[in-house]
Amino acid sequence: MRVTFVAEAVPGRPNEDFVAATADAAVLLDGAGTPPGSESGCSHGVAWFSRSLGSTLLTSMAQGTGTLTELLAQGIKTVASLHDGTCDLNHPGSPSATVIMLRHTNDMLEWLVLADSVLVLDVVNAAEPMAICDDREAQVGALHRTEMDALASGTDEHVSAHRRYVETLRSYRNRDGGFWVAATDPLAADQALTGNMPANQIRAAALLSDGASRLVDRFHLHTWSHVLDVLEQSGPDEVIRQVRAAEHSDPQGARWPRGKTFDDATALYCRC
């Protein structure tokens, strides 16, 4: 695989996304940020969690022989053991992240997607790309975001509404009828979307955090096919540039209501 990627944080804040790759594997995590005024029960923070779990997963994919589901479950257990003596892992705001894992092995391309980061596959002879995203959080969130979306981004009122929104969604995290993310419970790995396909049937793959995928699934400025074209012709930098341009064009969220005016944005492009 030939891989290029870009990860760009919101200015002035640590990047809570994580992305890394080897010649045969790639991983992307999008950490769930803790809003100002909200507690997490963890002294390490979301960026630490994303880096710790992401690096653990990439190492296990390179060295292990288990399924991606098994590797994710073990990775969650491993990272939990790193801070269970210092942090409250039962806190509803304990750090969590979305996960995409991609592995090329035995002439097959395997993938795992947990939560709302997006894997886009350019499949040979397919009319449209295959976009794989676990949208359960978005379905739950749609029931609770009316107040937040009605307020101008950046105002004190919006900040408070966003905090309430995030804290409300915590009660749905990692339980039936809610949504699933990588946090402290290894059983969340069983809820991931998984699949595989002969590697020669896939021309390319894109791994996108929701800060990058918003170009399509929130802003509706492009299609997945167009994003793949941009990645192929101009690389991940151009995708992120277009995301930032859109965000700057709507700083108050009037056109595109959203919890975060700007978000960490990560895009990985892989030629298979």
Side-chain angles (χ1 to χ4, degrees), residues 4-111:
T4 57
F5 58 79
V6 171
E8 183 177 292
V10 174
R13 295 186 55 186
N15 196 339
E16 295 174 336
D17 289 354
F18 175 88
V19 63
T22 68
D24 298 308
V27 61
L28 182 149
L29 282 74
D30 181 353
T34 303
S38 187
E39 299 296 327
S40 72
C42 177
S43 62
H44 297 86
V46 175
W48 172 88
F49 177 81
S50 296
R51 289 194 302 268
S52 299
L53 181 57
S55 58
T56 298
L57 294 177
L58 189 65
T59 299
S60 66
M61 281 195 288
Q63 299 178 348
T65 57
T67 67
L68 297 183
T69 301
E70 291 168 344
L71 297 181
L72 176 57
Q74 184 57 50
I76 292 171
K77 289 175 64 176
T78 297
V79 174
S81 72
L82 297 178
H83 66 142
D84 61 357
T86 58
C87 303
D88 179 8
L89 302 192
N90 293 317
H91 193 287
S94 187
S96 66
T98 72
V99 179
I100 302 179
M101 302 167 69
L102 187 70
R103 180 171 65 181
H104 185 190
T105 181
N106 297 326
D107 299 322
M108 299 292 289
L109 200 68
E110 306 171 295
W111 62 82

Side-chain angles (χ1 to χ4, degrees), residues 173-189:
R173 192 178 80 171
N174 287 357
R175 68 172 181 83
D176 291 335
F179 61 92
W180 299 82
V181 291
T184 60
D185 184 358
L187 293 178

